[in-house]
């Protein structure tokens, strides 16, 4: 049988949309402001470049927002480093996007990990950016200089694209000219010869604006292999990544604006052994209409193409054992949200969203003796999710109530696995039954402002996550362990509750405390079968309970931001999986904390240190390999030397803490050692 390539007939369309979507609206941006008729008088046009305003009940959930200064002044200059300061945020491994396999960069919250797929919904200007085949986040493509804010909402979601928000939502919002200025660029070099170069320019055009940005990072990397385990074939974690984006925003009417965006990126890495190379790439484009009149609306459409390849090197013979040549994936989708005028005390949201995914892998195992391919394999399929949602926020004096519901119609279709021998004979040709279903989820909460300095909040929610195509159809190898796919995986379903307290005892001081209880039913985990084999399976549940605390102080030139997450997470399992019952999910720490102390004596000066602690966690589901706790200290300094030009000094892991990121039967990988950076930043 023949299986269609997800890009056939659509590559040209994607290139045209990505290249022309933003520039095509510049004529609108360059036109003068539209005016009302003479009787009504002129009306001011305000172009924001954002979506609709937050609803009154946004504070009913556990929300933390990072501002632009925090985003752009981390020690590593990477988004995942900034997000690590948010209580409960976690990647599958402790490595960042320079020294981890891209497929391990899943993002989750609330100790609901256990495998590398994201359980948090990550949005860039309203568009889901998670790789639709693997479920990882392309962090290296998300340049901090392009962003104006990041908002993290913990807990399951029921709004737009809510099927991906099983542990929470991470919303990245692009910056505009008022935040960027005319130019914000930097160039730095580290003590191992690595470089970071980025530049973002913003130009106002009439009543609109356009933002163009590019970044390029490369370096020889560091030794992820401990010195006593290195062999002649060992290699540093070399990396090279780049990305470019173009975004334009313009008014079409006094209460209507259009936003067009395009992003392209590429990434290459070498991990542990010479020849163990991985690559990822992507292109995406989106178009968005936002109406802010009496009948408010937000209409969004997007297209994404992504690819991934990976070569696995044998840890005993140090030659190629598996070549995952490509994993082309195409995702298209969009959303529509309407807010009708229903009175001053209500904000009603009605809408629908759609996400279509098609992808497959092409790979060949190799004989470690002859160096020849022993087979040729392809596997993949299609997925879809059509959601309908409604939410109403009702303000009653100092009390705000919210309730929402979502219905998802999902499909998993055209799944296949096909293997040929080296001679071309078919050895396996399996097609999997199509599946579909309806799932409903709900979310409700309240925030009660007891006094100007005290607010209480409570929420309950449910949510859904489909298994990724990667979990369903793609096996992978991290020697000596092979993890098999499972085409019969069921969707995950979450039920959760939380209650919190917000205190603002004085100007510039805010404190937050949240207690939560989340249960993820049919959680997908990498379950141990024997010493060298694991399989993705649904366990009965992952039950996570815990506390999240944060504090922010702004006292003149001094600021402090701290967060802490303590969780008791355990697997609930029966039958053949009974050995896992009561175990902590793989890669999930019990305690994580972060504290940043900063001093800004004047404009564009900044001195900051960040102390982070990640508690002990386990490599595997049976808790046989423990990864020790790690505490790191980072530092950042920015000193202007003349107008618009500053010297930048950065330090990662200044105490050179030994960070174990992987331990499989004594085979260890390490995280970022002490790294010192120096360079400059231009802000005009």
């Amino acid at each position: 049988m023949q299986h269609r390539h997800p890009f056939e007939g659509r590559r040209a369309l994607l290139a045209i949309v990505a290249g022309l979507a933003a520039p095509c609206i510049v004529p609108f941006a360059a036109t003068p402001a539209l005016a009302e008729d003479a009787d009504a008088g002129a009306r001011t046009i305000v172009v924001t470049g954002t979506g609709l305003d937050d609803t009154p009940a946004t504070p009913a959930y556990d929300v933390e927002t990072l501002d632009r200064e925090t985003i752009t002044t981390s020690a590593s200059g990477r988004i995942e480093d900034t997000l690590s300061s948010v209580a409960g945020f976690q990647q599958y491994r402790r490595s960042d996007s320079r020294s981890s396999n891209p497929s391990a960069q899943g993002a989750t919250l609330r100790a609901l990990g256990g495998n590398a797929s994201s359980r948090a919904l990550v949005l860039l200007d309203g568009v889901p950016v998670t790789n639709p085949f693997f479920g990882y986040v392309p962090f290296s493509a998300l340049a901090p200089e392009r962003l104006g804010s990041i908002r993290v909402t913990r807990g399951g979601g029921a709004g737009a694209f809510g099927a991906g928000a099983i542990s929470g939502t991470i919303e990245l919002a692009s910056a505009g000219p008022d935040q960027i200025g005319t130019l914000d660029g930097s160039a730095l070099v580290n003590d191992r010869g690595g470089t970071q170069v980025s530049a973002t320019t913003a130009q106002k055009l009439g009543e609109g604006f356009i933002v163009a940005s590019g970044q390029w990072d490369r370096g020889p990397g560091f030794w992820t292999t401990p010195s006593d385990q290195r062999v002649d074939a060992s290699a540093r974690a070399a990396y090279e990544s780049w990305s470019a984006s173009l975004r334009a925003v313009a008014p079409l009417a006094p209460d209507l604006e259009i936003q067009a965006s395009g992003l392209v990126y590429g990434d290459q890495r070498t991990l542990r052994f010479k020849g163990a190379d991985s690559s990822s790439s992507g292109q995406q484009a989106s178009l968005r209409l936002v109406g802010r009149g009496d009948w408010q609306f937000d209409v969004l459409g997007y297209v994404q193409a992504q690819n991934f390849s990976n070569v696995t090197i044998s840890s005993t013979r140090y030659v190629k054992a598996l070549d995952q040549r490509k994993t082309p994936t195409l995702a298209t989708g969009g959303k529509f949200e309407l807010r009708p005028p229903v009175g001053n005390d209500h904000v009603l949201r009605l809408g629908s969203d759609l996400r279509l995914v098609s992808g497959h892998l092409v790979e060949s195992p190799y004989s470690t003796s002859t160096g020849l391919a022993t087979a040729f394999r392809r596997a993949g399929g299609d997925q879809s999710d059509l959601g309908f949602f409604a939410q109403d926020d009702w303000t009653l004096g100092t009390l705000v109530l919210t309730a929402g519901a979502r219905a998802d119609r999902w499909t998993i279709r055209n799944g296949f696995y096909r293997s040929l021998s080296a001679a071309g004979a078919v050895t396996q040709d399996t097609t999997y039954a199509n599946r579909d279903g309806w799932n409903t989820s709900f979310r409700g909460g309240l925030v009660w402002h007891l006094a100007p300095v005290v607010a209480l909040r409570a929420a309950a929610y449910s949510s859904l996550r489909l298994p990724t195509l990667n979990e369903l159809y793609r096996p992978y190898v991290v020697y000596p362990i092979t993890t098999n796919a499972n085409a019969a995986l069921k969707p995950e379903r979450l039920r959760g509750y939380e209650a919190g307290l917000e205190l603002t005892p004085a100007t510039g001081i805010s404190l937050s405390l949240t207690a939560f209880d989340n249960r993820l039913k049919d959680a997908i985990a990498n379950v141990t079968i024997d010493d060298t084999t694991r399989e993705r399976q649904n366990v009965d549940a992952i039950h996570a309970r815990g506390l999240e605390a944060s504090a922010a102080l702004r006292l003149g030139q001094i600021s402090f931001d701290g967060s802490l997450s303590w969780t008791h997470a355990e697997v609930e399992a029966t039958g053949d999986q009974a050995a896992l019952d009561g175990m902590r999910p793989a890669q999930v720490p019990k305690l994580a904390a972060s504290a940043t102390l900063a001093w800004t004596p004047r404009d564009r000066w900044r001195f900051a240190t960040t102390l982070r602690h990640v508690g002990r966690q386990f490599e595997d589901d049976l808790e046989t390999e423990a990864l020790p706790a790690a505490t790191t200290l980072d530092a950042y300094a920015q000193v202007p030397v003349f107008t618009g030009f500053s010297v930048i000094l950065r330090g990662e892991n200044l105490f050179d803490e030994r960070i174990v990121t992987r331990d499989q039967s004594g085979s260890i990988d390490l995280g970022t050692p002490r790294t010192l950076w120096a360079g400059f930043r231009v802000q005009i």
Side-chain angles (χ1 to χ4, degrees):
M1 72 181 280
Q2 292 184 340
H3 303 283
R4 62 186 177 83
H5 191 293
F7 293 166
E8 286 178 0
R10 289 183 273 185
R11 288 186 184 272
L13 174 61
L14 177 64
I16 292 171
V17 173
L20 301 180
C24 73
I25 69 168
V26 171
F28 289 105
T31 59
L34 302 177
E36 302 283 299
D37 56 48
D39 292 336
R43 184 172 179 180
T44 302
I45 296 177
V46 179
V47 174
T48 68
T50 63
L52 295 176
D53 293 340
D54 296 338
T55 65
T58 299
Y61 304 99
D62 191 5
V63 177
E64 189 165 345
T65 301
L66 305 176
D67 60 22
R68 178 170 172 80
E69 184 175 50
T70 300
I71 297 168
T72 59
T73 59
S74 71
S76 67
R78 312 186 86 79
I79 290 296
E80 63 271 28
D81 187 24
T82 300
L83 286 169
S84 295
S85 297
V86 176
F89 172 82
Q90 180 196 356
Q91 293 189 90
Y92 181 61
R93 297 195 186 277
R94 298 171 177 179
S95 309
D96 66 19
S97 57
R98 295 165 293 191
S99 60
S100 68
N101 190 284
S103 63
Q105 292 176 189
T108 193
L109 299 160
R110 294 249 161 112
L112 293 174
N115 69 28
S117 295
S118 291
R119 288 185 168 114
L121 172 64
V122 183
L123 302 172
L124 175 60
D125 298 321
V127 177
V129 298
T130 304
N131 181 284
F133 188 96
F134 292 92
Y136 69 78
V137 181
F139 284 115
S140 62
L142 305 174
E145 292 81 3
R146 299 170 190 159
L147 301 179
S149 66
I150 301 175
R151 183 171 68 187
V152 179
T153 304
R154 306 172 187 92
F161 303 116
I166 204 160
S167 70
T169 306
I170 300 172
E171 298 171 89
L172 313 177
S174 292
D178 293 340
Q179 295 169 296
I180 297 169
T182 303
L183 175 66
D184 191 342
S186 62
L188 297 100
V189 61
N190 70 24
D191 54 341
R192 288 186 295 274
T195 58
Q196 280 188 354
V197 180
S198 67
T200 302
T201 181
Q203 301 291 330
K204 292 186 177 181
L205 299 174
E207 300 298 325
F209 63 84
I210 188 167
V211 177
S213 178
Q215 70 161 3
W216 178 44
D217 299 342
R218 67 175 300 182
F222 57 88
W223 290 106
T224 59
T225 308
S227 58
D228 60 352
Q229 294 186 6
R230 293 174 199 161
V231 296
D232 290 343
S234 296
R236 295 175 182 265
Y239 64 93
E240 181 173 9
S241 63
W242 64 273
S243 67
S245 68
L246 187 63
R247 185 167 187 259
V249 178
L252 299 180
D255 292 318
L256 177 64
E257 69 180 62
I258 186 170
Q259 305 168 13
S261 300
L263 172 67
V264 295
Y265 61 88
D267 184 294
Q268 294 81 39
R269 306 178 200 177
T270 299
L271 300 176
R272 195 173 177 86
F273 296 117
K274 297 173 184 176
D277 302 326
S278 66
S279 70
S280 60
S281 61
Q283 310 87 38
Q284 70 179 49
S286 65
L287 197 63
R288 189 179 195 181
L289 289 172
V290 180
R292 307 181 193 277
D294 293 336
W295 288 77
Q296 298 184 20
F297 60 87
D298 187 342
V299 183
L300 170 71
Y302 68 87
V303 58
Q304 297 170 325
Q306 299 190 27
N307 203 352
F308 171 81
S309 68
N310 184 70
V311 174
T312 301
I313 299 296
S314 166
S315 60
T316 56
R317 301 182 67 93
Y318 312 115
V319 295
K320 182 163 59 176
L322 179 66
D323 186 354
Q324 296 170 324
R325 298 179 180 180
K326 58 183 178 179
T327 316
T329 309
L330 183 68
T332 56
K335 75 163 187 176
F336 172 74
E337 178 179 334
L338 178 67
R339 298 185 185 180
V342 292
N344 294 331
D345 296 332
H346 286 271
V347 176
L348 178 63
R349 300 174 60 197
L350 303 171
S352 178
D353 58 75
L354 175 66
R355 185 166 173 82
L356 306 173
V357 174
S358 180
H360 69 265
L361 67 89
V362 178
E363 67 179 19
S364 294
Y366 277 73
S367 168
T368 58
S369 299
T370 67
L372 300 176
T374 59
F376 301 93
R377 302 191 294 230
R378 295 181 65 214
D382 303 325
Q383 286 181 320
S384 70
D385 186 279
L386 173 62
F388 303 90
F389 63 91
Q391 177 179 310
D392 182 50
D393 294 357
W394 187 14
T395 302
L396 298 169
T398 59
L399 179 67
V400 180
L401 303 174
T402 181
R406 179 180 172 89
D408 285 275
R409 169 63 176 176
W410 57 267
T411 68
I412 299 174
R413 299 173 293 107
N414 302 324
F416 72 95
Y417 184 94
R418 182 178 174 87
S419 178
L420 283 72
S421 69
V426 176
T427 57
Q428 182 177 346
D429 190 357
T430 303
T431 57
Y432 301 105
N434 293 342
R435 292 186 284 156
D436 57 68
W438 280 96
N439 280 80
T440 57
S441 52
F442 305 91
R443 185 170 71 167
L446 62 87
V447 56
W448 184 15
H449 299 278
L450 290 175
V453 299
V454 181
L456 298 177
R457 50 183 171 77
Y461 36 78
S462 60
S463 192
L464 164 79
R465 184 182 80 89
L466 292 179
T468 63
L469 296 176
N470 175 56
E471 292 168 320
L472 291 165
Y473 307 123
R474 173 189 172 262
Y476 73 94
V477 179
V478 180
Y479 272 97
I481 304 296
T482 297
T483 301
N484 292 321
N486 183 352
L489 290 171
K490 296 182 288 187
E492 297 178 335
R493 293 169 293 158
L494 177 82
R495 298 290 183 272
Y497 314 89
E498 65 184 60
L501 172 67
E502 304 286 338
L503 298 176
T504 53
T507 302
I509 300 176
S510 62
L511 306 170
S512 175
L513 179 65
T514 302
F516 67 89
D517 187 322
N518 286 185
R519 187 172 185 270
L520 183 63
K521 187 176 180 180
D522 294 322
I524 298 171
N526 297 335
V527 177
T528 297
I529 306 300
D530 56 42
D531 290 343
T532 61
T533 308
R534 295 175 186 159
E535 184 181 60
R536 300 184 181 98
Q537 295 181 5
N538 294 105
V539 298
D540 291 348
I542 291 176
H543 191 186
R545 292 159 286 181
L547 296 173
E548 293 163 342
S550 63
L553 288 76
R554 301 291 183 269
L555 304 175
Q557 299 173 350
I558 304 296
S559 65
F560 172 84
D561 292 278
S563 69
L564 181 146
S565 174
W566 177 89
T567 56
H568 176 73
E570 61 182 11
V571 174
E572 297 176 356
T574 56
D576 293 341
Q577 302 169 346
L580 303 179
D581 192 53
M583 297 289 188
R584 191 168 186 82
Q587 302 291 340
V588 173
K590 180 175 291 186
L591 177 68
S594 173
T596 298
L597 182 65
W599 176 42
T600 53
R602 62 188 69 178
D603 185 40
R604 295 186 179 177
W605 288 69
R606 183 174 174 86
F607 301 91
T609 58
T610 298
L611 184 69
R612 290 197 182 95
H613 176 81
V614 178
R616 189 179 71 152
Q617 57 200 72
F618 292 97
E619 171 68 32
D620 64 326
D621 56 329
L622 293 176
E623 299 186 356
T624 59
E625 304 290 351
L627 308 180
T631 301
T632 60
L633 179 69
D634 295 344
Y636 178 93
Q638 177 172 324
V639 179
V641 292
F642 53 82
T643 302
F645 186 93
S646 302
V647 171
I648 303 295
L649 299 175
R650 303 189 324 215
E652 303 178 64
N653 191 9
L654 292 177
F655 293 153
D656 204 22
E657 177 83 338
R658 189 174 190 263
I659 306 169
V660 179
T661 65
R662 184 189 66 90
D663 186 346
Q664 291 181 341
S665 303
S667 175
I668 290 174
D669 284 344
L670 301 176
T672 307
R674 179 169 50 236
T675 306
L676 304 178
W677 294 85
F680 64 88
R681 183 178 182 183
V682 177
Q683 296 170 280
I684 302 174

